[in-house]
Amino acid sequence: MAVDLGPKFPPTFEGIPPHVSSEDLPIWQEFRRRHAKEYVAFYFDVALGEGEAAASNVSAQVAAAWRRLTRFRADVVGDTGTEWHIIELRPNAGPGALGAIQTYSTLWGTGAPDARPVRAIIVSDRCADDIKRVGRLAGVEVRCLTET
């Protein structure tokens, strides 16, 4: 199934992004402050994968809504103009963040909007050295906001 980017936001957008949690919001705000100029657009709560089929006794409209609601969601996708960046916002990033971003980048490959390269990025307030090491080995960029 195709990636559903949803609404496009300019890099100057300073509001609260759709579906960004209160824990992730300060991480997003700091990331945006530091890196917005690198992007031409952002997308939030990006739907990836197939989702789940609804029960057979529901209307087509309810079935479509259910499938959309049960798809995996990337926190942020950044468009640099030449690359796509799948961005996982995660306080105190650990193995769950690595698993999530690898899932999202794999699903991206099954329905990407175009053939541009994609980068998987975890953005966190704190990152253990082991997470940074595993990220490097897995091809995932780990950005710690506590580091300059």
Side-chain angles (χ1 to χ4, degrees), residues 34 124-129 132 142-148:
R34 293 184 189 188
S124 187
D125 55 351
R126 293 184 354 195
C127 311
D129 288 340
K132 292 186 276 188
V142 179
R143 295 186 186 180
C144 294
L145 297 175
T146 55
E147 300 170 1
T148 55

Side-chain angles (χ1 to χ4, degrees), residues 10-11 13 20 22-23 45 52 54 63 70 79 86 94 102 109 111-112 120 124 145:
F13 174 71
V20 170
S22 59
E23 291 177 332
D45 198 35
E52 300 293 322
T70 58
D79 179 357
I86 303 171
Q102 289 180 310
S124 187
L145 297 175

Side-chain angles (χ1 to χ4, degrees), residues 91-105:
N92 195 25
L98 283 165
I101 198 71
Q102 289 180 310
T103 297
Y104 304 153
S105 61

